[in-house]
Amino acid sequence: MRVPLSWLREYVDLPATETGRDVQAKLISAGLEVETVEQLGAGLTGPLVVGKVLTIEELTEFKKPIRFCTVDVGQANGTGEPQEIICGARNFAAGDKVVVALPGAVLPGDFRIAERKTYGRVSRGMICSGDELGMGDDGTHGIIVLPPELEIGIDATKLLELYDEVLDIAVTPDRGYCLSMRGVARETATAYGLPLRDPALLDVPAPNSYGYPVRITDPIGCDRFTARTVVGLEPEARSPIWLRRRLQKAGMRPISLAVDVTNYVMLELGQPLHAYDRSRLEGPIGVRRAEAGEKITTLDGTVRVLDAADLVITDNRGPIGIAGVMGGAHTEIADPETDPETGVVTGTAEVVIEAAHFDAISIARTARRHKLSSEASKRFERGVDPQAAAAAAQRCVDLLVLLAGGTAEAGVTEVSAPSAPRTITLPANHPDKVAGVDYGRETVVRRLQEVGCDVYGQDELVVTVPSWRPDLNEPNDLAEEVIRLEGYENLPSTLPKPPAGRGLTERQRVHRRVGRALAGAGYVEALNYPFIGEQALDHLGLDADDARRRLVKLVNPLSDEEPALRTTLLPGLLGALRRNDSRGSHDLALFETGLVFRPEGQPGVAVRLPVDRRPSDAEIAEVNAVLPAQPRHAAVVLAGAREQAGWWGKGHPSDWADAIEAGRTVAAEAGVELIISADQHAPWHPGRCAAFHVEVDGEKVLVGHAGELHPRVVKAFGLPARACAMEIDLDLLEKANEGPVKAPRISSFPVATQDVALVVAADVPAADVQAALSEGAGELLESVRLFDVYTGDQLGEGTKSLAYALKFRAEDRTLTVDEATAARDAAVALASERTGAVLRGA
């Protein structure tokens, strides 16, 4: 919501010295998110005056149309002589009043105006458009043509209200009333302790039986509908400058007088309105649910197929508007047209004003269903004051009568469902308990009254909630109002006092160590949204029966394209990889740790936990029973160079081995050794994929995969070639941990190193050979490391040579050559028995 400070001052008598920054600080203290304060007219200096175009000479000898104009600016130029100006715009004629920047003026963007020779003439100034003055789009993209009655030579900066401050407020869903000047003014008046001039306090005539007929068949979707009629409008009437400027400052484009008035009142009071051309209506206005398959052409020219849950406005022909979202093209206000022969202007002369109150959830779902977010739907889905409809309609009628020469018909239609004020009972000391501050009853009552509540009672308060605050439903909501108005900054800062000897759990420590280890290995952490869509799973190439395709879908997702909770971390990381690669960062190594969500059994409905006490263990268990499993995973993705080339030598690109090493790094931080074997598992390349297993309670359990991604996956996600990835289950690693890591004993005796080169079949995993060597060597073996893999004609087809370095050491003596050799031979023998390995050269 953009709030011009000059407009805000009409409702609150702010001190003249208060700036936009001062008001911003006050509103932020009251709990509103004022993101910026825009200084309109910054860098703009005069002279900027109103001028009258006297003559226009068309210069046709140039590639584009150029006009040489003489403009009367009165005594503003010091001589009273007409000002000669070159201009390329064509939306004005001789006799029009325009805005002229005289030599010496500076326009936004440090554009200085001076006399200069151009197109063979001397131009002494500039005829200005709205964009050049920083006014925003007025729909014409041309020169500003002013009303003919304005005096020549007057200051245009004051006329056009070019100097102002605009507060840009990010309105949260529970503060829908602040999508209006009335709501922001109320908050400002409260913050400053000043009275409010409520623009909704108008004399409204009582409803009668001879207004425009309205029939509501869905009182739940529409509980209030006010209709007023204005006739005798002058089709040629234009919105005055002050009205157009306020709309522009608030971020809206002026269109026509009738539409501008409805938009102005919506910004002022927060009540969306719609104006129908009465000559285009057929029969009474109706409100009902749409019939499935019905169509309507909305004001944006789009033909939309309606859903049976959509609320629509109708006449005898069918739908004429999507309620609370957008009107239909068949009844829109007609643009004025001038008959070229007679000069008579024709257009809409009679309008029916609609001011209604619609169900917030229904409007929100319709807007999302049709991907049609409008200024009206933004307000209705956040909650509109139902009591403001009649006042908004009256305000609209008054402005049309004043500005367009219309006459308000006596008929007033108001259809409303019976309703009672909402009341909340709360102890007078409830805000004190919530905040931990002793406010006292008088402060609580005063603050609630400032919000607009009626408060009765002593120790037990009965609070009647104002109609414009649909977000106030419980005692805690009222407590929040008291606390925010008293100032969040005034709450005492107290740190919790945990029992001595406690800190992070082992699970938390593992997660932190994993993050630090991956960061130390050169990976950058990427935090992604935990949402996913079916398309991402299709891109991963998952089978139809893959467990990762069982999704937990959200009732109210942020995006229709990602309506479910993720079952794997890879789509989010791969998306981050693609974005960074597309922006020029080609050498990438990203990681993320986070929860994934795996539904188990039949879905259930969680109970609502109490907030006035700690839930019991049984209540917590009941909630946990219906929640999906939420294991924490760690994942990495790599692309480009893993090590850069330089003076130190050649670099090397990321490959599947780096992804596997990332898995080893994670497991090492959890105190677990991985069992690595070849595998085929989507989304990895079938020949470059490794499976990670660990032993949990004596059983071999799969905990993750790593390797190079399948080329089809790389293409589907738009990734760099040969991208790699790893994903591992941290919770299973934690289960495999056998307790605190035991520090190794360092022997003071020398190490004995024995190298062996074993020839095995090409499909035998090196990890299997290494495992056999480790077991066969016995207790004397300190470490075993693969340092070379060789394939070639000397070995024969279908075989490979694996060279290992075995280190032997005893804790109590120096090993003899015979002891080391015997241990090596035992290791080779077991490897030969299990994998068919043969000593190379034997």
Side-chain angles (χ1 to χ4, degrees):
M1 177 68 185
R2 290 172 56 85
V3 179
L5 188 59
S6 59
W7 194 358
L8 185 62
R9 289 182 183 275
E10 285 198 2
Y11 312 117
V12 184
D13 289 326
L14 294 172
T17 57
E18 287 295 283
T19 66
R21 296 289 185 188
D22 298 329
V23 178
Q24 178 189 31
K26 285 283 190 178
L27 292 181
I28 289 176
S29 179
L32 294 184
E33 298 180 14
V34 185
E35 295 185 327
T36 60
V37 178
E38 182 180 350
Q39 303 290 332
L40 300 186
L44 172 66
T45 58
L48 199 71
V49 299
V50 174
K52 180 179 181 180
V53 180
L54 300 177
T55 64
I56 298 177
E57 180 185 348
E58 301 287 348
L59 306 182
T60 59
E61 63 267 29
F62 303 103
K63 291 183 179 180
K64 62 179 182 178
I66 296 297
R67 310 170 101 187
F68 180 68
C69 309
T70 59
V71 185
D72 181 6
V73 294
Q75 295 299 319
N77 58 2
T79 66
E81 296 294 324
Q83 204 78 3
E84 298 175 340
I85 299 175
I86 292 288
C87 185
R90 311 192 65 80
N91 69 313
F92 66 97
D96 284 343
K97 298 287 183 66
V98 294
V99 179
V100 179
L102 297 175
V106 180
L107 302 188
D110 197 28
F111 184 64
R112 298 180 180 273
I113 306 300
E115 289 188 9
R116 62 191 183 98
K117 188 173 182 180
T118 179
Y119 296 102
R121 307 292 180 96
V122 176
S123 181
R124 296 178 173 85
M126 176 175 164
I127 302 175
C128 301
S129 69
D131 288 336
E132 290 162 342
L133 297 178
M135 293 170 56
D137 181 19
D138 62 357
T140 64
H141 298 288
I143 295 302
I144 301 171
V145 179
L146 299 172
E149 65 271 12
L150 291 178
E151 181 182 347
I152 295 172
I154 63 173
D155 186 356
T157 59
K158 294 181 179 179
L159 174 70
L160 299 176
E161 301 177 12
L162 296 180
Y163 298 111
D164 203 349
E165 294 180 276
V166 178
L167 285 71
D168 193 350
I169 303 176
V171 179
T172 53
D174 62 331
R175 304 278 182 209
Y177 64 96
C178 284
L179 286 171
S180 67
M181 294 299 303
R182 180 194 184 199
V184 176
R186 185 181 298 278
E187 290 294 322
T188 306
T190 302
Y192 278 91
L194 296 172
L196 169 72
R197 286 188 291 273
D198 191 345
L201 296 179
L202 301 175
D203 291 330
V204 179
N208 50 53
S209 60
Y210 43 92
Y212 198 91
V214 174
R215 298 172 183 169
I216 298 177
T217 59
D218 191 336
I220 295 177
C222 176
D223 59 4
R224 185 179 295 270
F225 196 108
T226 300
R228 299 289 298 275
T229 304
V230 182
V231 299
L233 301 178
E234 299 173 1
E236 70 276 14
R238 298 176 57 195
S239 300
I241 293 175
W242 66 266
L243 177 56
R244 296 204 303 271
R245 288 297 292 135
R246 285 191 172 179
L247 291 177
Q248 288 175 321
K249 291 177 184 179
M252 301 189 75
R253 180 170 62 88
I255 299 173
S256 64
L257 178 56
V259 176
D260 292 350
V261 165
T262 58
N263 286 336
Y264 177 83
V265 176
M266 177 184 69
L267 291 172
E268 185 178 47
L269 301 182
Q271 168 66 54
L273 301 107
H274 189 72
Y276 300 95
D277 187 330
R278 189 166 77 165
S279 65
R280 297 185 177 188
L281 290 172
E282 293 185 9
I285 294 176
V287 183
R288 62 170 172 82
R289 296 289 171 176
E291 297 176 5
E294 274 189 306
K295 295 182 179 179
I296 182 175
T297 302
T298 46
L299 288 173
D300 57 0
T302 303
V303 178
R304 302 183 186 276
V305 180
L306 299 173
D307 187 90
D310 293 335
L311 196 66
V312 293
I313 311 298
T314 65
D315 66 2
N316 288 343
R317 294 167 298 180
I320 59 173
I322 303 177
V325 180
M326 186 173 287
H330 299 305
T331 58
E332 70 174 318
I333 302 300
D335 293 330
E337 295 182 0
T338 303
D339 190 308
E341 297 181 359
T342 65
V344 176
V345 180
T346 59
T348 298
E350 299 180 352
V351 298
V352 176
I353 304 298
E354 165 207 306
H357 184 260
F358 301 110
D359 176 61
I361 295 176
S362 176
I363 300 304
R365 289 175 176 170
T366 294
R368 180 166 295 177
R369 187 180 299 117
H370 294 282
K371 296 180 172 63
L372 185 61
S373 179
S374 65
E375 292 293 333
S377 68
K378 289 178 185 177
R379 287 163 173 79
F380 277 122
E381 64 190 25
R382 287 168 172 78
V384 169
D385 182 4
Q387 303 295 330
Q394 182 64 43
R395 177 71 165 140
C396 191
V397 168
D398 292 343
L399 288 172
L400 288 176
V401 170
L402 175 67
L403 303 176
T407 302
E409 287 193 347
V412 177
T413 303
E414 185 167 323
V415 181
S416 60
S419 62
R422 291 176 296 119
T423 60
I424 302 173
T425 301
L426 83 158
N429 63 349
H430 182 68
D432 301 3
K433 293 181 178 179
V434 173
V437 176
D438 186 14
Y439 292 125
R441 180 188 176 280
E442 290 186 2
T443 299
V444 171
V445 172
R446 175 172 55 85
R447 290 302 189 182
L448 292 179
Q449 288 174 340
E450 290 175 350
V451 170
C453 299
D454 291 329
V455 185
Y456 305 95
Q458 292 297 320
D459 295 337
E460 196 80 10
L461 301 180
V462 178
V463 181
T464 302
V465 177
S467 57
W468 59 84
R469 294 299 302 271
D471 59 303
L472 302 182
N473 297 299
E474 298 179 353
N476 284 334
D477 297 331
L478 299 178
E480 180 185 0
E481 293 299 298
V482 174
I483 295 167
R484 76 176 181 88
L485 293 179
E486 283 294 304
Y488 292 121
E489 69 277 10
N490 295 323
L491 292 176
S493 178
T494 56
L495 295 175
K497 297 179 180 179
R502 297 188 183 183
L504 297 177
T505 64
E506 180 59 27
R507 184 171 188 257
Q508 292 169 331
R509 283 194 288 268
V510 168
H511 296 163
R512 291 196 179 186
R513 288 202 304 268
V514 166
R516 286 195 293 266
L518 290 175
Y523 291 85
V524 177
E525 186 171 16
L527 301 177
N528 298 294
Y529 285 116
F531 307 120
I532 198 173
E534 292 281 356
Q535 186 180 23
L537 302 179
D538 295 337
H539 288 346
L540 291 176
L542 305 186
D543 295 333
D545 59 349
D546 194 300
R548 288 170 290 180
R549 280 194 177 273
R550 293 191 60 205
L551 300 175
V552 178
K553 294 192 175 180
L554 303 173
V555 175
N556 190 25
L558 292 180
S559 169
D560 293 337
E561 296 178 357
E562 295 179 328
L565 294 172
R566 64 188 178 191
T567 56
T568 169
L569 300 181
L570 291 182
L573 278 175
L574 295 178
L577 182 70
R578 178 184 65 248
R579 282 192 301 276
N580 283 275
D581 180 72
S582 68
R583 295 171 184 173
S585 298
H586 303 302
D587 303 324
L588 296 163
L590 308 177
F591 84 93
E592 182 177 10
T593 61
L595 301 178
V596 299
F597 304 85
R598 301 288 180 84
E600 297 178 350
Q602 295 297 322
V605 178
V607 297
R608 187 172 184 178
L609 295 177
V611 295
D612 58 341
R613 59 176 174 80
R614 183 190 183 280
S616 67
D617 293 341
E619 289 171 330
I620 296 174
E622 190 175 353
V623 170
N624 290 335
V626 299
L627 293 178
Q630 301 175 49
R632 183 175 290 271
H633 283 200
V636 306
V637 292
L638 305 99
R642 184 68 177 126
E643 183 179 332
Q644 296 285 349
W647 58 264
W648 52 84
K650 295 182 179 179
H652 75 270
S654 302
D655 61 15
W656 56 268
D658 295 304
I660 293 175
E661 184 58 30
R664 285 198 182 100
T665 299
V666 172
E669 293 301 322
V672 178
E673 186 174 351
L674 293 177
I675 304 170
I676 303 174
S677 59
D679 197 5
Q680 295 185 14
H681 188 73
W684 285 275
H685 190 295
R688 302 187 184 99
C689 173
F692 297 153
H693 292 82
V694 296
E695 286 192 4
V696 179
D697 298 331
E699 294 185 7
K700 191 176 179 181
V701 177
L702 178 69
V703 294
H705 289 86
E708 183 181 314
L709 293 171
H710 197 288
R712 285 197 296 268
V713 175
V714 170
K715 182 178 179 180
F717 278 99
L719 305 175
R722 309 297 294 269
C724 301
M726 181 278 297
E727 185 167 13
I728 195 167
D729 189 323
L730 295 180
D731 288 353
L732 288 178
L733 289 181
E734 186 182 357
K735 290 182 180 178
N737 190 337
E738 296 181 353
V741 177
K742 295 181 180 179
R745 293 186 61 185
I746 306 300
S747 174
S748 60
F749 295 96
V751 65
T753 301
Q754 296 272 358
D755 293 345
V756 294
L758 303 177
V759 178
V760 296
D763 60 349
V764 174
D768 291 352
V769 178
Q770 182 170 324
L773 290 173
S774 298
E775 184 177 343
E779 294 181 354
L780 294 178
L781 181 68
E782 184 175 88
S783 67
V784 55
R785 179 177 62 88
L786 175 67
F787 66 86
D788 184 54
V789 179
Y790 172 77
T791 58
D793 296 336
Q794 297 179 9
L795 296 178
E797 187 176 355
T799 59
K800 61 183 176 182
S801 172
L802 305 175
Y804 293 89
L806 284 72
K807 291 184 177 181
F808 300 96
R809 195 193 312 256
E811 295 181 0
D812 56 349
R813 67 188 187 281
T814 299
L815 291 178
T816 65
V817 174
D818 292 340
E819 288 177 311
T821 302
R824 182 204 65 183
D825 292 342
V828 171
L830 188 59
S832 176
E833 177 184 341
R834 291 188 177 176
T835 65
V838 178
L839 273 173
R840 186 176 175 183

